[in-house]
Every structure is written in C-alpha cells, then in structure tokens.
C-alpha cells in the first residue's frame, strides 16, 4: 500500500484537542439580558448551510437551551440558555454526537472588543461619506453645468451644510490616526489626507463667505469616501483571517483538576495553580504546568516541545513540561513551578522578544508616505511663496497652494496597496491560505532563504503503517481489535491500516508505555512494544516496530514510518531551482533527519534543534542580511516563526504557532508555500505598478495645480480617474492564472525506522 | 426654479432614509454572518436574523422556534 489518500490520512490523525472538562464548559457561560445565560462555542468544522441547520436543530432540542445561532463566517455557535447557571454540557454532547469538534470560546481568546468594533464603525463612516458624496456631487454637477448667481450660492451653501457634518463624522479615522502619528513626531499617509480634507473644507468655507466661484466640498467628501473604502477593505481582510485562525480549536488548557487534602478532585483555573499542588491529569488531557509524575504510568505526546509525534513512555519521577499531551493513562502529578515560570511561559517570553525585533519592519505604504508627505507639503509652501511674490495677493496664493494639497491628496496612493492586497488575500483564501495582514505579503515577496521544520511540516507528523505481517485473518482481526482499545498514535495507525472487521476482545487492558493486552477467542494476545510482546510469544527475538502475538504463537510485526506532506518534494525542488536555498531544522535525531533531507534533496539540515537554537539560526540569517521564510508547526517552532522575516504554519500546527505565523494554510499540501509566494510576488508587482500610476497622475496634476489651473471640476475628474485606474489594475490579480487545484503527486511513505 | 426648494429637501430626505435603513441593518446584525445568511435563504423554516448584541451590549434573544 503505497498510495495514501488525503482522507485516509485525516482519519489517522488524532483529534487536535483533548476533551473539555465539564467545569470548563460551565465556566464559559456568561449572564446576558433577560436573565438568560449565553455561551459561545467554537466549532471549527462548520462548513455549509446544512451544518448550520443541523447544529441549530440539535441544540434547540437540548434541555436548557432557549436559542442557538450558528455563525458560518466566524465558525462559532452562540447558545442562549435559560439562565446563567444552566449546564451547557448537553449542547456539547449533541455537537459531539453530530461529529463536530466543540470547545468553549473564552472572550479573552478573541481580540479585544475595540478591534471588533472597528469594522462596523468604518462601515458607518463609509455610509455617511457615501451619502454626503452623492448629494454634494448632485449639487456640484448643477454648478458645473452653469448654475449662476443666487442659485450657485445657494447650492454652495447647501453643499457646505452637508459636507461639514459629513467630514466631521466620516473623517474621524484619518484625523485620529494623523494626530497619533504627529504626536509621535512621524508622518504617515493619514497626515496629508487629513490636512487636504480639512484645508479643502476651510478654503471652501471662506470662498462661500466671499461668494467665490470655486468650492471643493465635493472633493473633500468624495476623497473621504474613496479612502474609507480602501481602509475598510484592508480591515475586512484582516478580520476574516484573524477570526478563522482564532476560531480553530485552542490547545492550551485553561485549568486543571486539583486533588484536595481530603482526596476530592476540584477544577481550578490555571492562574490559581501553585507550586507543590497535586494535580490529576487524565488520559487525553494536556499538562497545564511543569510537573513531576508521582503515580501512574503513561505515554506522552511531547510534540509541542520537541516537534516529534512518536509517543514517549513515562513513569513516576519523570518531569513533564507544560503543553505535553498525556495519551494513555491517568497520572497524579506534583506541580514543580508556578504557571509564570513554566516551559510554556518561557516559550511565550521568547516569542514576544522575537516579535518585538520584527516589528521594525515598515510597510511599503508608510515608506512611501515618509517620502511623499514632506515633498507635497514643501511643494504647497513653495507654491504659496511663489504666487505671493508674483501676484502679491495672499488670498489667491493660499487658494492655489491649497488646491495643490487637494489635488495631491494621496487618494490613488492610499488605494494602491490595500486594494491589491485585498484582491490577493481573496485569491489566497480560495487556495486555502489565510493571511494575518498585508505587510506579510510584502515581506513574503522579498525572501531569499527558506527554513523548514521537519515533523508536522515537511512530513505529516502522524505515523503510518508501511508494511504489515502476512498473517492469517484471525491474527489481523485480533490486532485491529486490540489496536482499537488504545489512543496511542501507533495503535490508531494500525487500526486504520487493517481493513478487517475487529473481533470481540475480553478483559482488554492498556499497559501504559507497553501496549494493549486482552483475550481473543479465549487466547491471551498482546499488541505493543516488540520486547513486551515477545514475553508471551513463542520466539523471543524482538523486532524494532510494534508487534502482535497470541500467547505461545510467533510474534508478528508492523513497520511504522512518517509520511511526507503532499507536494513537499516539488515545493522544495522548485524553491531551490528558483534560487532560494532551503534549510531544514528539526528536533529529531540525526538518522531520520538525514533520511528526510536526502529524499527531499535538502543540503543543509540541522538535527536536535531546541526552540532557542532554531531562533539562533534565524537570527544568524538575519544578521547576515538574509530574509528568511520560516515554515513550521509545533510550539517548539513558535519563537522561530516570530523571529523569521515572514512565516507560515499549517492549520494543524500548535495554537501558538498559528498565532505567531503570518500565513496559515488549511490544506494538507505543502504547495501552499509556493502558491503564497507566487501571489506575493504578483502583488508586489501590481503594487509597484499602482505606485507608478499614482506618480504619473501626480506628474500631470501637480504642474496644473501649481500653475493655478485646477478648478473643482478638474480636481474631481482627475482624482476619480486615478483611483479607478488603480482599482482596475489591482483587480488584474484575480485574473492571473488561477491557483492550480491540489492534485499534487502523492508520494509513498518514506521509510524511517520508528 | 422654485421647484428646487421642494426637490432638494426631497433628495436629502430620501438619502437620509437610505442612510438610516443602512444603520438599522448594521445594528440589527445583518452583516455579522454574510456567508451563513447566504445559506440560510435555502432553509424551509422561517428564519430571522439574530439580534446583534456584542459583549457588553444589551440586546434581545430570539425566542425558541419550533
């Protein structure tokens, strides 16, 4: 069996999250209006309208549920309960019964409320600006077509009455941002925008009072409308990506079951866990803090720490890092360090340090503004001085200088970047790639190095059975039956591999760290570590992989190996042939790393990397002037993801990894990396063209303005035309050859001794 | 030209009504779940939009529908 379908692969992968305790669910219910309780549930696998209907119908039938509303965009369900003390568990069970992963959504997980409010606020501003623009334009057209004397003055007056409140309301986002930046002694695009809009308004008001011909109310309001649209698109794209990323199941535990002095178990919140406490950690739960095992044997998934998915056996005395997943047995543990000093907290500190060092990146639009704003302002001042010298009339000079500012208001420039990035984000999303913000696209277009993690990134991180004994049907049935008793990834891989129907097992016992034992058709049978199985088997020689044996019969073994992600080979070879050297960093041992590196043709591969050393490699690259792309999953990669120039993570990555990465790809194939890079480069090209268009526009418009030839009509035409050109150019990104559907060549598993 | 004294206020009122309708629809949560609402139109049962109440905002809940 050499071909592994995507579906098969998914079945083998263990559920991304452990079970949620009842106490944790109850804690997520919040009181709402009318005495009802409300809880928000994150359901990452809602995918269509049918899911929405099924979920709502199932929830409404649950006891204590008043209303349920599924949100397909945010992949959340809002459940209204009769009161705040109602237990929401039946709802979770109903969702689980339908096959949906459900986790309580802590409001602290989502962005602060202020960020969520920005979207509607901007929409309101756009609506107001749109209303103003339409009405003022209607009056302006009448003036341009030849309204005269009193009619014209009346129209100007009405325009002013509309424009002043509209600018005061809809201009706020720009005024606020410009104020903040000016206080910091810097300049961004919002400074010339705010200045142009305010001066246009002031100039028009003074013209109005003197009964002049030229008022710019329409320019001020339409400018705001265009620019707000650009800003809203920018916002929309970021929100959508962010909600999808945070909506995926959370991995870090919110609390723990503590053993009291009287032996009772009680759920306590994470921050209340103190050093020396005794905790009980069930099979399938994550270790919340750094602990030492007191009682119990188990297998551990330390993939968040080392990046490796193969379980490690643990017994009393073993020290566990926070974030480790307890797989097979319940354990009693003693807390070694307070939460703030745990391995997880240490990782978070490293992460924030890495993030601060990256925040020095300046977005293209801001870099343009740094050049553009002073030039434009100086030009306006020079125009004023020039006209004053020549004509000696300060009023005319002021009019011309302000018209220079209005006509150079960076409307096209303000749209140049966001529109291109929104179109690119839409295209990426169709290819299953989510993006955090626009600057990530700019950074991705600049990379000259690529660094990949091994387990979970280049490989799927889940073991697969590559070869299986040629035994009789009875032995295979018994193997499957025993394998189904365990949560161990190797057992799950075996259960998924064997097509037989499992037979009855009696007295099945899982011996943590060794395997599963039970009685099949009255005979004792074992499935697990080869040496342990050999204890009851006829032949004492032990194989390397897991084995199965009936008592007194020969032992039969399975071979487990890692599988490459689909598209990994092509992606790596494409990158290297396009002049981007690829490096592999892994926490795994030398032999396996070398084997994967050889299969993929990667020359530079580092093994045994700790999180700190991964960061070290990336910082070293940066110091040598390289711009590296980091692709990784796992908590051990988190700090490295943040330290890289730009980073990507698969959606199966650890939660912290997804948060730290700039891009998250939802599909299994690694070709998402190449797709994202293509889109990023195309976007960078379009952005450059847009800047070219905006500059060309300015080259024509500025001389006209300096010469004092700009009338409100010319300003309106020129500004709209340049904006439309830029938008049209950006839309071309959509038409470029659509991302190839994910039909990459499936590769057989790479045999790596487990 | 006196007709303008009537027409301009009428234009403004119509615009304001449209603006008000947009604000109302925004407030009533019709933009909360655009992709979900696109699917909901296909449901057989009568389905009303959920009253918007973001955290900290008081609002009303939809009563249980059969």
């Amino acid at each position: 069996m050499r071909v592994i379908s995507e579906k098969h692969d998914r079945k083998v992968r263990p559920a991304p999250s452990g079970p949620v305790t009842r106490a944790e669910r109850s804690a997520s219910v919040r009181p709402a209006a009318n005495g009802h309780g409300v809880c928000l549930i994150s359901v990452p696998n809602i995918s269509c309208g049918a899911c929405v209907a099924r979920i709502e119908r199932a929830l409404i039938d649950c006891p204590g549920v008043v209303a349920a509303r599924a949100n397909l965009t945010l992949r959340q369900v809002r459940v209204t309960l009769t009161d705040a003390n109602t237990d929401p568990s039946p709802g979770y069970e109903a969702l689980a019964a339908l096959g949906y992963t459900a986790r309580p959504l802590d409001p602290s997980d989502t962005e602060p409320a202020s960020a969520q409010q920005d979207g509607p606020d901007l929409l309101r501003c756009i609506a107001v600006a749109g209303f103003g623009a339409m009405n003022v334009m209607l009056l302006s057209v009448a003036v341009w077509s030849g309204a005269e004397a009193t009619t014209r003055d009346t129209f100007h007056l009405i325009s002013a009455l509309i424009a002043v409140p509209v600018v005061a309301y809809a201009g706020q986002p720009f005024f606020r941002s410009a104020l903040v930046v000016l206080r910091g002694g810097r300049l961004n695009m919002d400074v010339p925008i705010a200045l142009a809009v305010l001066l246009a308004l002031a100039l028009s008001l003074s013209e109005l009072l003197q009964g002049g011909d030229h008022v710019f109310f329409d320019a001020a309001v339409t400018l705001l409308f265009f620019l707000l649209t650009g800003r809203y698109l920018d916002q929309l794209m970021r929100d959508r990506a962010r909600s999808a990323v945070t909506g995926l199941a959370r991995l870090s535990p919110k609390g723990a079951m503590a053993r009291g002095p009287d032996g009772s178990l009680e759920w306590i919140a994470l921050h209340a866990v103190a050093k020396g406490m005794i905790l009980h950690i069930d099979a399938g739960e994550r270790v919340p803090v750094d602990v030492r095992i007191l009682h119990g044997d188990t297998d551990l998934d330390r993939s968040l720490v080392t990046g490796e998915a193969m379980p490690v056996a643990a017994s009393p005395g073993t020290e566990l890092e926070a974030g480790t997943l307890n797989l097979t047995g319940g354990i009693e543990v003693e807390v070694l360090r307070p939460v703030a000093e745990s391995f997880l907290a240490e990782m978070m500190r490293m992460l924030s340090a890495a993030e601060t060092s990256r925040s020095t990146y300046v977005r293209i639009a801001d870099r343009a503004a740094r050049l553009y704003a002073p030039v434009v302002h100086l030009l306006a001042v020079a125009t004023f001085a020039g006209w004053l010298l020549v004509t000696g009339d300060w009023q005319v000079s002021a009019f011309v200088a302000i018209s220079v500012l209005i006509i150079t208001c960076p409307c096209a420039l303000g749209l140049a970047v966001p529109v291109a990035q929104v179109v690119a984000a839409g295209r990426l999303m169709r290819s299953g790639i989510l993006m955090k913000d626009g600057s990530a696209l700019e950074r991705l277009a600049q990379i000259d190095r690529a660094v990949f993690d091994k387990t979970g990134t280049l490989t799927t991180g889940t073991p697969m059975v590559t070869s299986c004994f040629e035994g009789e049907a009875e032995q295979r049935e018994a193997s499957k039956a025993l394998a189904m008793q365990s949560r161990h990834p190797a057992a799950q891989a075996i259960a998924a591999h064997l097509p037989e129907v499992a037979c009855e097992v009696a007295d099945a016992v899982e011996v943590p760290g060794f395997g599963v034992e039970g009685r099949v058709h009255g005979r004792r049978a074992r499935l697990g570590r080869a040496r342990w199985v050999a204890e009851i088997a006829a032949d004492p020689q032990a194989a390397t992989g897991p084995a199965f044996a009936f008592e007194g019969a020969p032992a039969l073994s399975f071979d487990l190996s890692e599988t490459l992600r689909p598209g990994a080979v092509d992606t790596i070879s494409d990158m290297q042939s396009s002049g981007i050297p690829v490096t592999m960093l892994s926490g795994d041992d030398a032999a396996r790393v070398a084997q994967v590196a050889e299969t993929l043709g990667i020359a530079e591969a580092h093994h045994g990397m700790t999180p700190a050393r991964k960061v070290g490699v990336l910082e070293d690259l940066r110091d040598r002037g390289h711009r590296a792309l980091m692709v990784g999953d796992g908590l051990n990669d988190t700090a490295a993801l943040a330290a890289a120039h730009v980073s990507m993570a698969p959606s199966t990555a650890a939660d912290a990894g997804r948060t730290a990465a700039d891009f998250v790809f939802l599909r299994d194939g690694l070709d998402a990396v190449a797709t994202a890079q293509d889109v990023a480069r195309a976007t960078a090209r379009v952005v450059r063209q847009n800047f070219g268009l905006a500059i060309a526009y300015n080259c024509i418009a500025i001389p006209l303005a300096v010469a004092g030839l700009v009338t409100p009509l010319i300003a309106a035409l020129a500004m709209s035309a340049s904006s439309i050109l830029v938008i049209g150019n950006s839309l071309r990104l959509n038409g470029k050859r659509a991302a190839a559907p994910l039909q990459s060549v499936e590769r057989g598993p790479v045999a790596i001794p487990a | 030209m006196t007709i303008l004294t009537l027409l301009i206020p009428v234009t403004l009122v119509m615009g304001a009504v449209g603006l008000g309708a947009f604000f109302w629809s925004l407030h009533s949560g019709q933009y909360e779940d655009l992709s979900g609402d696109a699917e909901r139109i296909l449901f057989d049962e009568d389905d009303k939009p959920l009253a918007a109440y973001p955290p900290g905002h008081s609002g009303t809940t939809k009563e249980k529908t059969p």
Side-chain angles (χ1 to χ4, degrees), chain A residues 11 26 579 679:
Chain A
K11 200 163 70 187
S26 300
V679 173

Side-chain angles (χ1 to χ4, degrees), chain A residues 598-623:
Chain A
E598 199 192 336
T599 319
L600 292 171
I602 298 176
E604 196 185 342
H606 301 273
H607 61 89
M609 300 298 280
T610 58
R613 284 182 59 201
K614 286 190 179 189
V615 175
V617 168
L618 284 159
E619 280 175 348
D620 185 44
L621 279 174
R622 190 181 56 207
D623 293 345

Side-chain angles (χ1 to χ4, degrees), chain B residues 17-51:
Chain B
V17 167
L19 190 64
F22 176 76
F23 272 33
W24 167 81
S25 69
L26 193 66
H27 182 77
S28 68
Q30 294 183 27
Y31 297 87
E32 305 271 302
D33 181 16
L34 293 175
S35 43
D37 290 338
E39 304 267 355
R40 279 172 198 276
I41 192 85
L42 303 172
F43 293 1
D44 285 337
E45 310 98 273
D46 192 23
D47 192 77
K48 295 195 190 73
L50 181 71

Side-chain angles (χ1 to χ4, degrees), chain A residues 423-600:
Chain A
V423 177
R427 210 181 120 187
L428 283 178
M429 206 166 298
R430 282 196 297 281
S431 327
I433 303 165
L434 301 175
M435 172 169 87
K436 293 282 174 52
D437 69 303
S439 84
L441 265 181
E442 295 168 15
R443 284 182 273 124
L444 185 59
Q446 301 169 336
I447 58 159
D448 56 6
R449 279 293 158 120
V451 178
F452 285 82
D453 169 50
K454 182 180 77 72
T455 317
T457 308
L458 290 172
T459 67
T460 55
T462 325
M464 296 284 305
V465 175
T466 45
S467 75
C468 166
F469 60 80
E470 298 284 321
E472 296 148 31
E474 191 193 12
Q475 290 167 321
R476 297 165 75 100
E477 281 167 18
S479 303
K480 173 142 185 171
L482 287 177
M484 284 168 68
Q485 304 295 320
S486 172
R487 228 196 282 258
H488 196 292
Q492 287 179 337
I494 290 170
H497 175 70
L498 295 171
E500 279 81 7
V501 180
C503 55
E504 293 272 316
V505 192
D507 312 329
V509 198
E510 179 159 19
V511 185
F514 295 99
V516 190
E517 183 180 320
R519 284 187 176 280
V520 179
H521 305 312
R523 294 169 74 187
R524 195 148 80 112
R526 277 183 178 179
L527 172 75
R529 267 169 215 285
R531 213 172 308 150
W532 180 68
V533 171
E535 286 172 16
I536 64 158
D539 46 348
Q541 89 230 24
T544 43
F548 167 82
F550 278 119
E551 190 165 23
L556 303 157
S557 68
F558 296 89
D559 274 337
L560 290 185
S561 70
E562 287 179 278
T563 351
L564 287 183
R565 237 176 222 283
V569 177
D570 296 339
T571 306
I572 301 295
S573 64
D574 284 356
M575 275 201 153
Q576 286 180 331
S577 62
S578 67
I580 299 174
V582 175
T583 308
M584 183 165 82
L585 302 180
S586 177
D588 212 347
D589 60 53
R592 285 201 251 184
V593 170
Q595 195 151 11
V596 174
E598 199 192 336
T599 319
L600 292 171

Side-chain angles (χ1 to χ4, degrees), chain A residues 139-356:
Chain A
L139 297 166
S140 296
V141 168
V143 173
W144 297 332
S145 11
E148 277 176 349
T150 342
T151 319
R152 190 191 64 190
D153 288 346
T154 318
F155 281 7
H156 282 172
L157 179 67
I158 300 171
S159 299
L161 289 177
I162 300 169
V164 171
V166 163
V167 169
Y169 183 85
Q172 282 175 29
F174 300 103
F175 303 153
R176 266 201 299 263
S177 156
L179 260 184
V180 169
V181 173
L182 282 177
R183 272 205 206 112
R186 289 169 291 131
L187 282 175
N188 67 359
M189 273 311 180
D190 292 340
V191 177
I193 292 171
L195 209 60
V197 169
L198 285 178
L199 282 176
L201 208 61
L203 175 76
S204 308
L205 284 175
S206 98
E207 282 281 301
L208 176 72
L209 290 179
Q210 296 165 8
D213 312 338
H214 298 313
V215 296
F216 287 96
F217 292 118
D218 57 296
V221 180
T222 38
L223 256 181
L224 276 182
F225 181 63
F226 276 125
L227 290 165
L228 281 168
T229 311
R231 179 137 319 182
Y232 179 69
L233 288 178
D234 201 24
Q235 173 88 29
L236 192 71
M237 166 190 78
R238 246 178 307 171
D239 273 4
R240 221 170 0 174
R242 196 185 292 140
S243 68
V245 172
T246 51
L248 296 167
R250 294 244 145 197
L251 285 171
S252 45
K254 300 272 184 292
M257 297 303 282
R259 176 83 66 193
D262 54 348
S264 65
L265 280 174
E266 191 195 357
W267 188 84
I268 52 171
L270 190 59
H271 60 83
V273 174
K275 188 183 168 186
M277 272 185 167
I278 310 293
L279 304 179
H280 178 83
I281 300 169
D282 256 333
E285 282 184 349
R286 252 172 222 284
V287 177
V289 288
D290 292 359
V291 295
R292 183 170 50 226
I293 302 183
L294 295 177
H295 308 291
D297 293 293
T298 185
D299 290 287
L300 301 170
D301 177 351
R302 293 178 71 229
S303 60
L304 283 192
V305 184
T306 61
E308 301 309 312
M310 284 311 277
V312 186
S315 50
T318 313
E319 292 190 7
L320 312 180
E321 296 91 345
T324 310
L325 178 63
N326 179 18
L327 286 174
T328 47
I331 46 174
E332 295 274 315
V333 296
E334 183 191 0
V335 179
L336 290 178
R337 278 177 282 277
V339 182
E341 292 167 28
S342 78
F343 173 78
L344 266 172
E346 186 58 37
M347 294 289 309
M348 291 305 152
R349 269 195 291 278
M350 234 155 80
L351 176 66
S352 61
E355 268 172 352
T356 11

